[in-house]
Amino acid sequence: MTHTRAVPNTAAEILAAAKALAPQLRERAAEIEQNRRLPADVVELVRSTGAFRMGFSKAWGGPELTSAEQTEVVEALAYGDSSAGWAVMIGMDSGLYASFLDETVAKEMFPRLDTATAGLLFPTGRAERVDGGYRLSGRWQFGSGITHADWVISGAFLYEDGEPLLADGAHDSLLLMVPQADVEIIDTWNTTGLSGSGSCDYAIHDVFVPEGRTLTFGTVRNGEGPLAQPEVHMRNMPGVPLGVARAALDWVRAQVVAKSPAGGGGWADTWRVQVTLAECEADFNATRSAVYGAMRRQWEVLEAGGTLDDLTPEERAALPLSRLHAFRTARSVVMRLYDLMQTASIYKPSPLDRWLRDTMTMCQHVVAQDRILQSAGAHLLGGRPSFPLSLGITG
């Protein structure tokens, strides 16, 4: 009789499984990068850790990890491979999106907890209102993990009889979910870094989407608590840069120790090496503490029944600022370590080459851009944020 090993279903079990998988991911990182997507067996290895089920509630039989626990798992997987961490950070949103769907519809869409979702939330498509739902068409970029996703979520502007549908004088938009089989994947993902994330363009051609498979983050349809919030899908993003920075720090430290005699001397006693590693370690520790501190404070307020409005302006701003700082600090740490190792860094068998390109690429994401700084600063001053969602503001 064949016995199937149960998928981990608690925070401790999932984190332990992610940490155990990380060395395998590291061994296959070059292959993942060359493949430009996660190989099918790697997807299943990741799925077997329980990482894709992290956002499903306990009421559904899921583990319902806190945002901090989710981030720790993403961090552990990114420690093994940046692209794998990125794909999990995106793919695990299935359970989070379930809160914004009718429960009956969501359970039909997600018959198993280990379902992955991909897609672009910004409204670049066109959804024409018809009886019972919408006809969706368009082309989107950055479908991270779309090559192994079960569902694809896409933002689209709304039309009826060819005319724009307005809400408060602006063109209204919606998020729509379709099975991956209804999506054309366009292989455009030839990039500087995060190559293995398979973040291809994709197109949808006049696909009917029932009303029940649409959502907005302003309307929770089932569930409650800290995970049923408008910016919940953004919280675990810092896990990727933090995991990569930690991997780079540990790798360089091991290289220095290996190149130094046991009794002292060599690289380990070089002032420049000591200072650079210490500075990078300090920056990493401070950045990581800021990420988890802001996240845990938010969770504390929400778990007690509060709302995002119960956070102080400083606490609200700390969330997107710590996220942005994690991305930029990881890039800075890797770059300084790259310079420290000098010519040893430039050969592609060195993981520093890949980590440098990965952190450069992930820092081009909107969450690491100056508009986030503007939004945080405006919120602190009572001004108008240019990117409200980054602060959990829906209006």
Side-chain angles (χ1 to χ4, degrees):
M1 180 181 291
T2 300
H3 294 280
T4 303
R5 179 180 296 180
V7 177
N9 202 45
T10 68
E13 290 171 347
I14 294 171
L15 181 58
K19 288 181 175 179
L21 181 59
Q24 280 184 260
L25 294 175
R26 181 75 59 84
E27 289 175 2
R28 299 188 64 179
E31 174 195 351
I32 291 170
E33 180 176 53
Q34 186 174 14
N35 199 52
R36 295 188 298 112
R37 64 190 64 184
L38 298 188
D41 68 312
V42 172
V43 172
E44 294 312 311
L45 286 171
V46 169
R47 200 187 306 274
S48 71
T49 67
F52 286 138
R53 62 172 55 193
M54 293 191 289
F56 280 102
S57 69
K58 291 180 179 177
W60 280 40
E64 197 174 331
L65 268 61
T66 68
S67 297
E69 289 167 344
Q70 294 169 26
T71 306
E72 288 176 320
V73 172
V74 172
E75 195 176 356
L77 292 169
Y79 185 87
D81 179 70
S82 313
S83 292
W86 192 270
V88 166
M89 178 268 292
I90 298 290
M92 66 134 291
D93 286 343
S94 301
L96 304 180
Y97 295 145
S99 295
F100 301 93
L101 297 164
D102 179 80
E103 184 175 3
T104 302
V105 173
K107 288 192 172 180
E108 290 175 353
M109 292 172 62
F110 308 128
R112 59 173 181 164
L113 297 177
D114 303 298
T115 300
T117 299
L120 183 71
L121 303 183
F122 290 109
T124 62
R126 178 188 182 103
E128 183 78 23
R129 182 76 173 149
V130 295
D131 288 344
Y134 299 86
R135 306 294 308 188
L136 177 63
S137 297
R139 177 167 174 163
W140 295 259
Q141 289 183 294
F142 311 120
S144 300
I146 197 168
T147 53
H148 61 256
D150 299 286
W151 287 90
V152 177
I153 185 169
S154 306
F157 287 110
L158 304 184
Y159 293 82
E160 187 168 22
D161 298 327
E163 297 296 322
L165 284 175
L166 304 180
D168 297 325
H171 199 169
D172 201 6
S173 64
L174 200 59
L175 295 167
L176 305 94
M177 299 190 72
V178 303
Q180 191 239 40
D182 290 340
V183 174
E184 177 193 2
I185 298 173
I186 305 168
D187 191 1
T188 54
W189 195 243
N190 296 285
T191 57
T192 301
L194 284 181
S195 299
S197 65
S199 303
C200 301
D201 286 15
Y202 65 95
I204 297 174
H205 306 287
D206 194 32
V207 171
F208 174 70
V209 184
E211 182 80 43
R213 293 181 185 171
T214 70
L215 62 99
T216 69
F217 290 125
T219 304
V220 176
R221 294 181 182 169
N222 77 89
E224 57 184 6
L227 293 183
Q229 301 290 333
E231 42 58 79
V232 64
H233 58 287
M234 304 180 73
R235 297 178 196 161
N236 61 21
M237 293 187 74
V240 182
L242 290 175
V244 175
R246 183 72 265 166
L249 279 162
D250 289 352
W251 186 83
V252 169
R253 185 176 173 185
Q255 294 294 304
V256 171
V257 171
K259 293 175 183 291
S260 304
W267 274 38
D269 277 336
T270 303
W271 185 89
R272 173 173 172 264
V273 173
Q274 293 169 339
V275 169
T276 300
L277 278 174
E279 286 181 337
C280 289
E281 193 73 38
D283 287 350
F284 173 83
N285 288 335
T287 301
R288 189 175 189 272
S289 294
V291 165
Y292 284 99
M295 202 179 303
R296 286 173 176 141
R297 173 56 184 157
Q298 180 196 45
W299 190 272
E300 179 183 85
V301 170
L302 296 176
E303 191 173 39
T307 69
L308 294 173
D309 290 332
D310 294 314
L311 294 168
T312 68
E314 292 78 13
E315 289 169 341
R316 291 284 289 276
L319 293 160
L321 290 178
S322 64
R323 186 160 51 230
L324 175 148
H325 199 55
F327 279 82
R328 292 188 176 183
T329 298
R331 178 175 60 183
S332 172
V333 165
V334 172
M335 187 175 295
R336 281 178 281 168
L337 295 175
Y338 188 97
D339 287 343
L340 178 67
M341 299 300 286
Q342 299 177 337
T343 54
S345 301
I346 67 176
Y347 295 97
K348 285 194 173 181
S350 163
L352 278 174
D353 171 79
R354 183 171 55 254
W355 288 326
L356 180 65
R357 290 182 286 106
D358 287 345
T359 53
M360 286 287 186
T361 298
M362 68 179 71
C363 278
Q364 306 318 306
H365 194 282
V366 66
V367 299
Q369 299 301 306
D370 284 350
R371 65 189 298 190
I372 304 302
L373 295 175
Q374 183 277 329
S375 294
H379 187 64
L380 289 170
L381 297 170
R384 183 183 295 275
S386 67
F387 194 59
L389 187 58
S390 69
L391 293 162
I393 303 167
T394 56

